[in-house]
Amino acid sequence: MSADAQLVFDLPLRTARGRDDFMVSSSNAMAVEMIDQWGEWPRARVLLVGPARTGKTHLASVWAAQSGAELVPAAGLADRVGEGTLPLVVEDVDRAARDTALEEALFHLINRYDAAGAPLLLTGTGEPGSWGIALPDLRSRLEAMALAEIGPPDDVLLSSVLVKLFADRQLRVEPKVIGYILNRMERSCAAAEALVERLDTASLRAKKRVTVPLVRDHAGWET
């Protein structure tokens, strides 16, 4: 098998209990390990962070299936003040930044779960220090939480994401095309989604397969 073929197809898969497989690579392996070992979390709570579209919701769903947790968006926290302490995932906590009611609700929720020693998983995009949390006590609570961090996608993960995105559109693409794309594309899963959509449209219009020449002509790269 060629090196390109190995890059594309030799990726371990993690089954996400009733969901699509979660693809594991060096960029997310430490976060996956921490989710797997959730019974050993410091103070029973963890902050799962990383770039957009890198699988935070998917991995949070894996944990929810393991722990019986409910998943709620940070935007709905203001309606949950004073509720119980069953295992809980709060997604996109970075979106609570500078919303006084949401910041206070998140602060009180963390305190309630901390006092009960109940499992709590928070997710957010980017680094916590960049969120602009205005409430000092909430900022300190978040900074004190153990981090499960997903890094920028590596070549192994990006190649597999590309293969899956093409397959979802019933497009079979040769490994050399994936390799050509990897050497030139922006290093993000969001960019991969946008590119595959563009190439799918170009392929349909030209009534041609996705090949290196088609990618070169329609990807929008200078070279």
Side-chain angles (χ1 to χ4, degrees), residues 42-116:
R43 306 180 74 173
R45 61 192 191 192
V46 156
L47 184 56
L48 174 62
V49 300
R53 311 304 284 263
T54 50
K56 293 185 297 296
T57 293
H58 196 153
L59 195 52
S61 296
V62 173
W63 180 73
Q66 294 174 346
S67 64
E70 181 184 0
L71 284 82
V72 300
L77 283 181
D79 299 326
R80 300 182 64 88
V81 175
E83 293 192 8
T85 53
L86 294 175
L88 183 68
V89 178
V90 182
E91 296 195 273
D92 304 317
V93 294
D94 50 303
R95 297 183 184 179
R98 304 193 182 282
D99 183 315
T100 301
L102 291 181
E103 287 198 9
E104 290 181 353
L106 180 58
F107 172 68
H108 291 300
L109 182 141
I110 292 173
N111 284 346
R112 187 167 75 248
Y113 271 71
D114 189 34

Side-chain angles (χ1 to χ4, degrees), residues 13 21 29 47 60 86 107 112 123 132 138 141 148 158 177 180:
L13 298 179
D21 286 338
L47 184 56
L86 294 175
F107 172 68
R112 187 167 75 248
T123 76
L138 173 59
R141 294 292 189 280
L158 272 179
V177 178
Y180 179 84

Side-chain angles (χ1 to χ4, degrees), residues 188-201:
S188 76
C189 293
E193 291 183 8
L195 177 60
V196 169
E197 181 178 2
R198 185 184 311 156
L199 295 176
D200 183 24
T201 299

